[in-house]
Amino acid sequence: VSLRSAIVTVGEELLSGATVDSNAAWLGRALSHLGIPVRQRFTVGDRDDRIEAAVLEALELAELVVVTGGLGPTEDDRTRPAVARALGRPLDRDPALVEALEARFRGRGHATLPPANLRQADVPRGGHALPNPRGTAPGLWIPAEGGRVVVLLPGVPREMRALFDAVEHRVREQFAERLEPVHSQTLHTTGIPESVLAPRIEEALGGLETRRGVEVAYLPELTGVDLRLSVAERDGAGAEALAEALRLVEPVIRPYRFEAPETGDLVEAVARQLGERGLRLATAESCTGGGVSARLTARPGASAWFLGGVVAYDNAVKTEVLGVDPMVLERHGAVSEPVACQMAEGVLRQTGADCAISITGIAGPGGAVEGKPVGTVWWAVAFRELGTDVAQTGVRVRAASAVFPGDREAVRIRAGQAALRDLHLQLQERA
Ligand code: ATP
Ligand code: MG
């Protein structure tokens, strides 16, 4: 039988909702990737009896139990003693850990180690410390009965993640012969809803899921749907089954797919296209208020391909800064095809960019007019025709529209993504 894991996250703030339990989600992905899927999650407050009960129950279900949080130096950090009790082990103070803590404090200019921090050198008997490169609380690896293991990690997400490499290494050693390698690939799509995508994928796979053990997961976000295909290794045929699945789904997702291995964000794909061709982009945003520019500039190195943008919220900015024709605004309204086109063309001319996108829409909740419900958005993509001088004509613009569902935030995110998607497609067509 395959290996199973369980996760215990500790902290009152997780129960009250003051902190979102991002550790559990991150660990869930990391553990299934390792081939040790999570069987159950437990979330408990900073109380010995609750932590102890959760760890005992988790050990009933899983070979690997990962606990995060409550390893700090203060009185309300209860994980170490509670886990020691659950395992029936005493806590031993590890002199090497005491020394490492002292060195860390001296290195930061403190004369002595605060006594409370000594607690962080306590290890349930039989356990080993996993050094923490980013904080004081080391992780702990504690072998338990029946080949099981309990792993304790700090609650601070970046420390927890930094320690996971060491955990992964030990897990591969400890469970080597029982780990089934998982072959998997994540495909990013945008512009097709999950409800439309899923049946097309099932049809394309034609029963491959049951025949060859291919698992399909849909991970929908406002910006698109990620598709994760995975196959547990069986008789050496896992990689080939995954390749077959990829071949089958490829034609379905081709018009929606983008490549963003680092971030999963469409901006990564657009940045690559622009960078490779030496093209520079500008933006003219109304209802998204600069949100697209913020996404673009979040990417390191954006200055190589992003020139800048105009937040043209008021009509006066659309006309005076971007050169939108007031008559056109009057006749068609700000949320219209010709205004979207003139915004994109205007910012392209103003900045001298090679390409531009514009967005104008009704994000809601107010603002709907006859024939234009909340969620109506027009966007446009403009390209300077190659070899033409931007001061002359030589600009080609195409606009599109949609009525996006959701609240103000959702409409704004979807609108920005739609404009980026069209830019991505047109850059592909022009390649
Ligand atoms: P410290 O040494 O900082 O006290 P710790 O191991 O005791 O580390 P906690 O005190 O439980 O960890 O949490 C430290 C920080 O990490 C807090 O800001 C907390 O909100 C956050 N945190 C804890 N657990 C999680 C979790 N499961 N998901 C996301 N954030 C978390
Ligand atoms: Mg805590």
Side-chain angles (χ1 to χ4, degrees), residues 224-263:
V225 181
D226 284 351
L227 186 66
R228 188 165 182 275
L229 300 173
S230 52
V231 194
E233 184 58 278
R234 291 196 193 147
D235 327 316
E240 210 231 294
L242 179 64
E244 183 179 355
L246 287 169
R247 261 198 315 278
L248 293 173
V249 303
E250 210 281 327
V252 174
I253 64 170
R254 191 182 302 137
Y256 312 102
R257 183 172 182 190
F258 62 91
E259 301 269 351
E262 288 166 35
T263 60

Side-chain angles (χ1 to χ4, degrees), residues 85-362:
R85 263 244 300 277
L87 297 174
R89 314 261 181 96
L91 281 172
D92 298 324
R93 189 148 292 175
D94 180 338
L97 283 180
V98 175
E99 226 171 89
L101 282 167
E102 280 172 343
R104 192 179 166 92
F105 271 78
R106 272 197 308 274
R108 304 204 152 185
H110 301 282
T112 54
L113 183 67
N117 278 87
L118 278 174
R119 265 191 267 259
Q120 295 186 300
D122 290 346
V123 180
R125 190 161 294 167
H128 314 276
L130 306 168
N132 180 345
R134 294 183 177 168
T136 54
L140 293 173
W141 172 277
I142 312 162
E145 313 283 273
R148 291 161 202 273
V149 174
V150 180
V151 174
L152 311 190
L153 298 175
V156 180
R158 55 189 294 275
E159 297 183 20
M160 188 270 304
R161 289 179 215 151
L163 276 166
F164 197 79
D165 277 348
V167 174
E168 182 170 340
H169 186 75
R170 282 182 177 250
V171 164
R172 287 192 194 283
E173 263 174 18
Q174 168 98 8
F175 298 109
E177 69 283 13
R178 294 186 57 194
L179 271 184
E180 294 181 348
V182 175
H183 303 271
S184 77
Q185 185 154 344
T186 299
L187 307 169
H188 307 292
T189 75
T190 182
I192 180 167
E194 182 187 6
S195 56
V196 178
L197 181 64
R200 290 202 205 159
I201 294 290
E202 316 288 273
E203 195 194 335
L205 286 175
L208 197 70
E209 298 99 308
T210 41
R211 274 190 289 116
R212 304 199 66 175
V214 174
E215 283 182 41
V216 188
Y218 300 91
L219 311 164
E221 300 272 348
L222 287 173
T223 49
V225 181
D226 284 351
L227 186 66
R228 188 165 182 275
L229 300 173
S230 52
V231 194
E233 184 58 278
R234 291 196 193 147
D235 327 316
E240 210 231 294
L242 179 64
E244 183 179 355
L246 287 169
R247 261 198 315 278
L248 293 173
V249 303
E250 210 281 327
V252 174
I253 64 170
R254 191 182 302 137
Y256 312 102
R257 183 172 182 190
F258 62 91
E259 301 269 351
E262 288 166 35
T263 60
D265 187 349
L266 178 56
V267 165
E268 182 183 331
V270 169
R272 194 175 44 245
Q273 291 173 307
L274 294 168
E276 278 171 3
R277 281 178 244 174
L279 297 176
R280 302 218 285 173
L281 174 68
T283 55
E285 300 184 61
S286 185
C287 67
T288 48
V292 172
S293 303
R295 269 176 75 187
L296 295 169
T297 51
R299 190 161 174 81
S303 58
W305 45 265
F306 181 60
L307 275 180
V310 174
V311 179
Y313 210 63
D314 192 274
N315 283 349
V317 181
K318 294 186 179 79
T319 54
E320 278 154 41
V321 180
L322 295 177
V324 173
D325 181 349
M327 298 289 289
V328 168
L329 261 173
E330 175 82 17
R331 187 169 325 136
H332 299 272
V335 179
S336 63
E337 177 167 17
V339 169
C341 288
Q342 292 190 3
M343 285 170 67
E345 185 171 343
V347 82
L348 187 138
R349 291 186 192 284
Q350 287 292 340
T351 58
D354 302 294
C355 50
I357 53 181
S358 69
I359 302 163
T360 174
I362 303 163

Side-chain angles (χ1 to χ4, degrees), residues 37-114:
V38 176
R39 198 151 194 205
Q40 191 163 331
R41 277 186 195 174
F42 303 81
T43 303
V44 296
D46 301 295
R47 285 186 39 180
D48 289 55
D49 59 336
R50 295 296 90 214
I51 300 171
E52 186 182 343
V55 168
L56 285 172
E57 198 180 337
L59 279 166
E60 301 276 317
L61 315 163
E63 284 84 358
L64 176 65
V65 176
V66 181
V67 187
T68 83
L71 292 183
T74 59
E75 194 51 50
D76 67 356
D77 289 309
R78 304 305 310 161
T79 299
R80 246 182 237 95
V83 170
R85 263 244 300 277
L87 297 174
R89 314 261 181 96
L91 281 172
D92 298 324
R93 189 148 292 175
D94 180 338
L97 283 180
V98 175
E99 226 171 89
L101 282 167
E102 280 172 343
R104 192 179 166 92
F105 271 78
R106 272 197 308 274
R108 304 204 152 185
H110 301 282
T112 54
L113 183 67

